[in-house]
Amino acid sequence: MNLILKNGRLFDPAQGLDQTGDVVVQGDRVRDLGTDIAAAGPGVLDCTGLIIAPGFIDLHVHLREPGFAYKETIASGTRAAAAGGFTAVCAMPNTNPVNDDAGGTAYLLQRARESGHARVYPIGAVTAGSEGEHLAGLGAMREAGAVAFSDDGRPVMNAQILRRALEYASMLGVPVIEHAEDLHLSAGGSMHAGAVALRLGLRGISSASEATMVARDLLLAEETGAHIHIAHVSTAASVRLLREAKTRGVRVTAEVTPHHCILCDEDATPYDTNFKMNPPLRTAADRAAVVAGLADGTLDAFATDHAPHAAHEKLQEFDRAPFGIIGLETALPLGLRLVETGQLSLARLVASLTSAPARAFGLPGGTLASGSLADLTVFDPAAAWTYDPAQGASLSRNSPFAGWKLRGKAIYTIVGGRVVYSARTPEL
Amino acid sequence: MNAHPEPAHVLGIEGLPLARIEQFLSLAAAFQKTPPPRMLTGKRLLLLFYEASTRTRTSFEVAARRLGAETVSVSAQASSIEKGESLLDTVYTLRAMAIDGIVMRHASSGAPRLVADHADVPVINAGDGMHEHPTQALLDGFTILRHRGSIAGLKVAIIGDILHSRVARSNILLLSRLGAELRLCGPRTLLPPEFAAYGKNVRLYGELEPALDGADVVMVLRIQMERMHESFFPSEAEYVSRFSVTAERLRAARPDALVMHPGPVIRGVEISAEVADSPQSVIREQVENGVLIRMAVLHTVLGAKR
C-alpha cells in the first residue's frame, strides 16, 4: 500500500531537514521526499499545518504483560504509544515471569505481532529473575531479539556482576541499561530527600543514591570499554558526571523522563501517589540541570518510563503505594512545553525522540531519509487539549498531569507505512 | 462519599488556622475550671489505631466519654486490616456503621489525609508516621501556657530524635507560630539541616549545653532503641554521654525551666530519673492536660453543626 503525506513541515534532525513538503511511502519504506507531488485519494493524508517527523522511539516502557495484564497489556500499552506518537517502544523485563530467557523474549515479540499497535523491542534482564546474582541468558535473548539488558526497577548492586554483564553484552553488541540507585542509601524512601519530605514526614531518597551509582557505572564502562545506558537520570550530580564522562569518551548514553523535566518535589500535591515515582521528583535545581543536560545532548533520549499501576494500588498510604506513572500520551506536549518556554530547541526535542534513541540502542528508524523505515509521527504542535487519563488508551490512570492544559498532539502515527493511530478517524 | 463540603478535620498543626488553635486552648482552659456537660451524647467516635498506643488512645477515649460520646475501638492487630484489607476499604466498612468522627493513628505519614479525602466525617490525626501529632503539640502548648501564661519569646529546647518525631514536628510548627524560639538538639544523623527552615526562629544544635543555655522549656523526646541498629548513633552509652538530660546539664537552663516528655519515659537514657521526677517536671501534668485538649478538639469538631 502506498501513502502520501501532503504539505507538512518535514522535520528530521538526523538530516538537518526543516522544510515544507510531501512524503511518499511505498510499502514499509520512505520512497521519496518532495514538494507538490500530485496525488489524491484514500492514501493521501493532508498534513497542512502539521509537523512530519520520524517515528518516536521510547527507550523505556513497562508493558506489564505477562503477569500484570490488569495494569497494562501489550495491546493497550502500544495503543497508548501510538496515541502519543510513538512508533516503537522498548519493553522492560520486570514482568511476571521476568523476561530473562529466550522464551520470554520470543513470547513478547509473538504477542506484539498479534496485538501490538507499535513496534516492541524487548529488553532482557541482566540477571536471572532480576535478582542480581547470576547472569541471565544474555546471548540467547539477544538472538531472540533483545535489544538491550536491564534489571530496571532495581540496580545491579553487585559491581562485579555488572562488570561481567557489560563485558558480555558488549560482545553481543548491545548496551546494558542501569537503573542507578544505591539501595542502601535509598532504603525505605518514598520521595526525594529534602525539605518537602522532611515536612511531610516521609523517608527520603537522596540525590547521592543515584549519583554514586552513576559514578560507579561510568568507571566500569570506562574500564571495560562497554556501552552503558543510564536510565531516567534525575539529579544535577548525575548530569555533571555524565557530561564529564562523555567528554572523556566513555561509551555512555542516557535518558531523561518528561516528568523529571517538568516537575520538582515542591510541585507534588502532598501524599498524592500520582507523584510517586522512582527516581523521585527532585529539586528545582535538579530539574533545571536535567533539562540543560537534555538540551546540550548530555542526556541523549527523552524516554517516558511509562509505568502503569491499577487505581487500587495507587490509592494507598503514600509509603505503601507502588512507584511509577504513565507517560506515553503526555510526552510530546510536555516536551513541547520545554520548547515553548525556550528551554529546549524543537530540533533537539525531536532528535531526543527519534535519531538519538535509535542510535543509542542501534534500532532502525529515527530518520525520514529516503529508503528508511516508514515509521512516521505527524503532530500538531499547536493543538490545545486537556489531559484526562480516563480518556487515554492505557489501562491505567496514574498520572500527575491529569487536568493539565497541554499543547501539541499526535495526529497520525505510522508504523511500517501503516497508519496505526489517527486523531482524524474519518480519513482512515 | 465526597458530596458534602469537607468536614473540620484536624490533620496537623500545619494548615490549622491560628483562631482554631486558640479556640482549642481556651476551651481546654474552660473545661479545666468547669467540667463540661455531656455535649456529645449520641455521637459515636471511631478510634482507629493501626499502631500500638496506650496513652493517646486512652486519652481520647476518656475525653470522648466525659463528653458523653460512645467510642468504638479498632486496632490493626485484631481486625481485617491484618488480613490485608486496604485502609480505605476498612474505613468504608466502619463508616457504614454510623460513625460521627474518626480518630486515627497510623505508621504511614499522610494516612489520615487519605482517609479525610474519602470520608464525610471529621478525621483527627492521633499521630501519623513521622509527620504530625497535633493534639500532642496542643497539649504541650497548653501545659506551657498554664505555667508561663504566654509562649511568645520563650526559649524552647527540643532534644533527641527529631528526624523521626511527629511530636517534634507538630511542636515546632505550633510553638514557633506562637512566637517561641526553638532550639533543636540531637545527633546530626537525626537532625538534618532542612529543619532550620521548618518553622520560624528555629536553630539547630549538635551539643546539649548550648541548646539548654537559658532555656525556659526543655522538651525531651523518646529515643527508640531500634534506631541504634540503624546506625543513627553508635551506642546507647554514647547517646547518654552526649544527649541525656541530667540534673547537672539542666543547670544550664533557667532554674525554673519546665521539663517535658511525651512519654513513655525510659529513665536513664534520654532523661535521668532525677530530672524526670524533679519538681520542674510537668510530665504527668502533660497526660492530664491531654484529656482536656482532646475534649476541646472533639467538642469543637464533632459538636459543630454541618
Side-chain angles (χ1 to χ4, degrees), chain A residues 52-406:
Chain A
I52 303 174
F56 297 166
I57 299 168
D58 192 338
L59 296 182
H60 195 142
V61 164
H62 298 271
L63 292 178
R64 304 296 190 208
E65 189 184 348
F68 306 102
Y70 65 98
K71 299 178 197 246
E72 196 79 285
T73 62
I74 290 165
S76 66
T78 53
R79 197 177 293 119
F86 289 94
T87 55
V89 297
C90 297
M92 284 295 174
N94 57 340
T95 47
N96 186 17
V98 170
N99 177 19
D100 63 0
D101 62 19
T105 303
Y107 170 84
L108 185 68
L109 286 169
Q110 176 63 28
R111 291 290 297 139
R113 273 192 296 275
E114 289 163 4
S115 63
H117 300 265
R119 291 180 203 278
V120 176
Y121 295 116
I123 295 166
V126 176
T127 62
S130 286
E131 285 170 359
E133 288 174 9
H134 308 286
L135 288 187
L138 305 183
M141 282 191 284
R142 175 72 181 126
E143 275 170 37
V147 299
F149 301 110
S150 180
D151 280 350
D152 186 63
R154 59 179 93 168
V156 180
M157 276 298 284
N158 182 325
Q160 179 70 305
I161 302 274
L162 182 66
R163 184 202 167 91
R164 290 191 177 131
L166 280 165
E167 288 170 340
Y168 207 88
S170 73
M171 176 185 84
L172 302 171
V174 293
V176 171
I177 305 165
E178 173 76 333
H179 168 121
E181 174 185 358
D182 183 309
L183 296 176
H184 299 296
L185 284 173
S186 63
S190 51
M191 72 175 291
H192 172 67
V196 181
L198 200 76
R199 183 166 62 79
L200 297 176
L202 293 169
R203 286 172 207 275
I205 299 172
S206 76
S207 294
S209 73
E210 176 178 298
T212 54
M213 289 295 265
V214 169
R216 181 201 75 165
D217 296 344
L218 290 170
L219 290 171
L220 289 171
E222 185 166 24
E223 196 167 274
T224 57
H227 176 189
I228 197 156
H229 177 84
I230 307 294
H232 42 50
V233 171
S234 71
T235 76
S238 304
V239 175
R240 196 169 66 233
L241 289 163
L242 285 161
R243 190 174 284 132
E244 188 266 343
K246 282 192 162 184
T247 309
R248 281 188 297 111
V250 178
R251 281 185 69 197
V252 59
T253 50
E255 68 192 34
V256 63
T257 72
H259 48 276
H260 289 112
C261 290
I262 296 287
L263 298 171
C264 62
D265 60 348
E266 287 164 17
D267 297 323
T269 308
Y271 307 114
D272 181 345
T273 56
N274 285 319
F275 290 88
K276 182 176 177 181
M277 63 284 281
N278 190 12
L281 296 173
R282 301 290 188 183
T283 65
D286 289 310
R287 193 203 65 81
V290 295
V291 172
L294 179 63
D296 72 12
T298 300
L299 306 178
D300 302 78
F302 202 49
T304 65
D305 192 6
H306 177 81
H309 292 292
H312 72 272
E313 294 171 318
K314 278 292 197 179
L315 204 53
Q316 288 195 71
E317 298 87 325
F318 195 87
D319 54 3
R320 295 181 58 165
F323 291 102
I325 64 165
I326 56 171
L328 285 164
E329 290 162 273
T330 48
L332 172 64
L334 294 175
L336 287 168
R337 184 175 284 241
L338 299 173
V339 174
E340 217 173 293
T341 51
Q343 300 174 79
L344 194 67
S345 69
L346 180 65
R348 182 62 201 119
L349 172 66
V350 174
S352 73
L353 286 163
T354 58
S355 54
R359 200 165 49 240
F361 285 9
L363 305 174
T367 176
L368 294 176
S370 193
S372 61
L373 208 53
D375 286 6
L376 309 169
T377 299
V378 180
F379 64 95
D380 179 352
W385 58 296
T386 302
Y387 178 52
D388 174 7
Q391 302 299 315
S394 171
L395 292 185
S396 292
R397 312 272 178 260
N398 49 314
S399 168
F401 301 109
W404 277 45
K405 291 188 185 340
L406 302 172

